[in-house]
Amino acid sequence: MNRRNLAVLAALLSFSVGFAAPPVCANSANDLPHIVTENGRHAFIVDGQPFLVLGAQANNSSNWPAMLPKVWPAVEDVHANTLAMPIAWEQIEPTEGKFDFSFLDTLLAQAREHKVRLDLLWFATWKNNGPQYAPEWVKLDTDKYPRLITAKGEKWGSMSPFGEATLAADRKAFVALMTHLKQVDPQHTVILVQVENEAGTYGSVRDYSPAAEERFRAQVPAELVKGLGKQPGTWSQVFGEDADEFFHAWYVARYINEIAAAGKAVYNLPLYVNASLKDVIHPQKASTYESGGPTYNVIPVYKIAAPAIDLIGPDIYNPDYAEYVGNLDAYHRADNPMFVTETGNAALYARYFFATLGHQGIGFAPFGFDYTKYVNFPLGAPRFEPEDLAPFAANFKLVAPMMRELATLSFKGKVWGVSEPTAEHEQTIDLGDWHALVAYGRPQFGSEGPAPGNPTPSGGVLIAELSPGEYLVTGYHARVNFEPAGKMIGKHPQYARIEEGHYDNGKWVFERVWNGDQVDYGLNFTSIPQVLKVRLATY
Ligand code: DGJ
């Protein structure tokens, strides 16, 4: 038996003991990380098996060797399995044509020592609107590397997506990065790469330079018209009042696609973009958010313009329940794996880890996880000390030992997750033949009156179906009860058996049986990480 076959057998065996779902894809550990999609569901395959990114993103200027000693302790404290770290164009190509990958090499070595995977963030033509992270030879030469021109004819702080020299230079640098990475990372410490950062433009809906104007007057590219099922015409004819924004989105996405496709051609890692968001609940005019970026309304444009991009992730900095879940709904699509690419590091955001997994999330990567003492309050927490990251750490600690199992079940549509809303304190999860009734703020004993909710919303529940009627159930600050539904409706429910335990290398390890007080009023999850294997029955 050759080494590849042994790896396949080992993967199959590790999933055959104490775990009902077979592996999705038992590849060799040397296979490139990649995303698979089946029946509108997605799995992120790393080392041959579905993987959940339990991520932490460092602050923007932590991408220098001197900062790493302040980064790793936070990554360790939060129990992240992946660190998202900027790699700046100015850093790898300070002089045109001369590349310096010393930071990346240091980062790779230290990530391996810490047994953490990496998600590299390519900060180049766009880093939140502007070219701040482009090298000086690009930023200072606005003739060769043109800025966008506003409707009033003003030179703007955002790059023109029609700058051919800019695109060529960015693409060349990105290809150099991916070429180097391929050479120095045969073990795939880097599992994902983000291309640009929150691309798009604040303050001008699009570029009005002569090059842009010429294209704006032309016909909408046939590919886009066809892909969206529209009738041919000019941008204004096809898109009406959305024309400016959709035009900008198309050309920003095309630009990014050129870079991504060239990078993929040398090293085929999953590539993604992240979005500064348009409000999903309240109507907003294009001029009031970052135009041209992958906001929810232009996801279909990005999907057609940028096939080299594997996913679009929302950067969610609004802790409001409806907004947060609305964004999860908008970015979780049959053509788009759900990955919360950034979110606030304040405690209120931590509970959304559960709803993210419930949206078939392949990852959750809160922002600002290092001890460099920078805090992006009010987007994130007002301070960031080890105790402040505790709610995020609790989540990752809970899920890390079973993330392969959860990711595998999620790919089969067998995972549900909810987070505590603000106004309501009870939720129902439809599991098919059972409903899970979730209540927040109840004591562990008794159930007088309606659930009051937790003092601040902090609850979350995760349920995974192992086999019919058999579920993994976990969460924090929540009570779960089950009632028959579907074909079980009208029957009396009972617990056949409830085991507390944990996963260890693919095997369920039994700790104790829950019964009596521990189950009489429901399954109560507190701040203690507890995982239950629940077998439901009727009489
Ligand atoms: C979103 C950006 O993508 C991050 O790089 C960072 O600037 C945060 N906003 C704000 O801290």
Side-chain angles (χ1 to χ4, degrees):
M1 186 176 278
N2 64 29
R3 287 178 72 171
R4 187 185 162 96
N5 287 344
L6 276 172
V8 170
L9 183 65
L12 283 165
L13 283 175
S14 74
F15 274 82
S16 65
V17 186
F19 179 57
V24 172
C25 166
N27 291 335
S28 124
N30 288 329
D31 278 355
L32 273 173
H34 60 282
I35 290 171
V36 288
T37 298
E38 251 176 54
N39 304 320
R41 290 191 293 272
H42 315 277
F44 180 29
I45 309 294
V46 175
D47 301 331
Q49 297 296 340
F51 182 87
L52 292 181
V53 178
L54 308 177
Q57 183 166 152
N59 280 300
N60 285 173
S61 308
S62 299
N63 58 322
W64 296 94
M67 293 302 106
L68 290 179
K70 298 184 168 74
V71 174
W72 296 118
V75 172
E76 203 167 294
D77 286 350
V78 78
H79 302 282
N81 63 18
T82 306
L83 167 66
M85 176 61 86
I87 297 289
W89 185 5
E90 65 178 353
Q91 176 177 38
I92 68 158
E93 197 184 7
T95 306
E96 189 173 1
K98 292 206 167 56
F99 290 97
D100 173 359
F101 294 110
S102 52
F103 171 65
L104 175 57
D105 294 344
T106 304
L107 179 68
L108 280 168
Q110 295 190 13
R112 289 172 194 145
E113 275 165 30
H114 287 89
K115 299 195 180 357
V116 166
R117 308 308 271 263
L118 293 170
D119 166 8
L120 301 184
L121 316 173
W122 176 235
F123 283 13
T125 299
W126 288 284
K127 194 293 173 187
N128 308 42
N129 167 80
Q132 258 174 286
Y133 284 81
E136 284 187 41
W137 54 269
V138 172
K139 283 194 287 206
L140 305 186
D141 188 350
T142 56
D143 290 335
K144 187 166 178 190
Y145 307 107
R147 300 298 169 95
L148 170 152
I149 304 296
T150 67
K152 291 186 185 146
E154 227 179 318
K155 212 186 249 189
W156 210 235
S158 190
M159 299 301 260
S160 166
F162 303 105
E164 284 170 20
T166 331
L167 170 57
D170 186 328
R171 182 176 52 209
K172 185 174 158 210
F174 187 67
V175 167
L177 171 67
M178 295 300 277
T179 305
H180 181 77
L181 193 56
K182 185 179 181 183
Q183 283 162 3
V184 299
D185 193 26
Q187 57 272 70
H188 311 310
T189 299
V190 175
I191 54 174
L192 279 168
V193 180
Q194 179 189 290
V195 188
E196 310 296 340
N197 187 83
E198 292 194 351
T201 304
Y202 288 108
S204 181
V205 181
R206 69 170 173 91
D207 188 5
Y208 294 84
S209 65
E213 286 300 88
E214 196 188 318
R215 285 179 180 82
F216 189 72
R217 284 190 297 270
Q219 297 280 298
V220 175
E223 229 179 314
L224 181 59
V225 169
K226 194 168 163 238
L228 296 179
K230 304 259 189 194
Q231 291 304 311
T234 63
W235 287 90
S236 300
Q237 287 164 345
V238 176
F239 295 109
E241 60 180 22
D242 291 329
D244 293 328
E245 183 188 6
F246 277 50
F247 172 81
H248 198 40
W250 172 261
Y251 281 106
V252 170
R254 291 304 282 174
Y255 184 110
I256 293 174
N257 190 61
E258 292 246 358
I259 295 165
K264 265 202 154 151
V266 296
Y267 188 28
N268 190 14
L269 278 183
L271 303 180
Y272 71 93
V273 292
N274 59 333
S276 174
L277 303 177
K278 171 180 161 93
D279 197 314
V280 279
I281 308 280
H282 308 99
Q284 239 190 325
K285 276 190 172 306
S287 54
T288 62
Y289 55 88
E290 194 176 29
S291 175
T295 48
Y296 74 86
N297 54 324
V298 296
I299 293 175
V301 175
Y302 265 73
K303 289 292 168 187
I304 299 163
I309 293 297
D310 295 278
L311 72 87
I312 300 171
D315 292 352
I316 315 182
Y317 287 98
N318 187 340
D320 177 79
Y321 180 81
E323 293 278 356
Y324 210 106
V325 175
N327 276 303
L328 296 179
D329 290 340
Y331 284 83
H332 166 227
R333 299 164 46 118
D335 63 0
N336 195 56
M338 178 75 243
F339 174 27
V340 175
T341 41
E342 288 180 34
T343 198
N345 60 8
L348 272 180
Y349 290 94
R351 73 193 199 274
Y352 291 119
F353 176 64
F354 294 97
T356 301
L357 295 183
H359 282 73
Q360 231 254 302
I362 60 154
F364 183 81
F367 179 86
F369 273 70
D370 60 44
Y371 296 137
T372 54
K373 302 290 179 201
Y374 178 83
V375 288
N376 67 355
F377 179 79
L379 287 188
R383 38 164 260 175
F384 198 70
E385 301 296 333
E387 55 274 28
D388 301 310
L389 56 72
F392 297 92
N395 291 343
F396 287 178
K397 195 174 171 192
L398 181 69
V399 160
M402 54 182 179
M403 69 88 175
R404 297 287 190 179
E405 287 79 3
L406 289 173
T408 303
L409 288 164
S410 177
F411 190 45
K412 293 171 172 295
K414 302 287 185 191
V415 171
W416 296 264
V418 291
S419 305
E420 182 173 1
T422 319
E424 285 155 19
H425 310 306
E426 295 184 16
Q427 288 163 317
T428 299
I429 309 176
D430 184 355
L431 307 170
D433 286 338
W434 292 91
H435 280 174
L437 311 176
V438 180
Y440 298 102
R442 286 204 186 284
Q444 295 186 71
F445 195 88
S447 48
E448 296 294 298
N454 288 303
T456 54
S458 53
V461 167
L462 190 65
I463 298 180
E465 187 187 294
L466 295 170
S467 63
E470 186 187 29
Y471 298 94
L472 281 180
V473 187
T474 190
Y476 287 120
H477 309 292
R479 175 185 289 183
V480 183
N481 275 291
F482 291 90
E483 70 176 20
K487 64 177 183 301
M488 301 288 191
I489 214 149
K491 298 190 176 169
H492 299 289
Q494 64 176 334
Y495 295 120
R497 184 176 167 93
I498 301 177
E499 291 186 5
E500 181 180 348
H502 62 271
Y503 275 95
D504 182 12
N505 273 321
K507 286 185 196 154
W508 173 253
V509 180
F510 166 85
E511 289 167 20
R512 64 167 168 163
V513 168
W514 276 25
N515 219 329
D517 287 352
Q518 280 65 49
V519 306
D520 283 347
Y521 293 96
L523 311 179
N524 292 287
F525 295 96
T526 60
S527 59
I528 299 170
Q530 288 172 313
V531 181
L532 303 179
K533 198 192 243 187
V534 177
R535 250 189 311 117
L536 299 171
T538 56
Y539 60 92

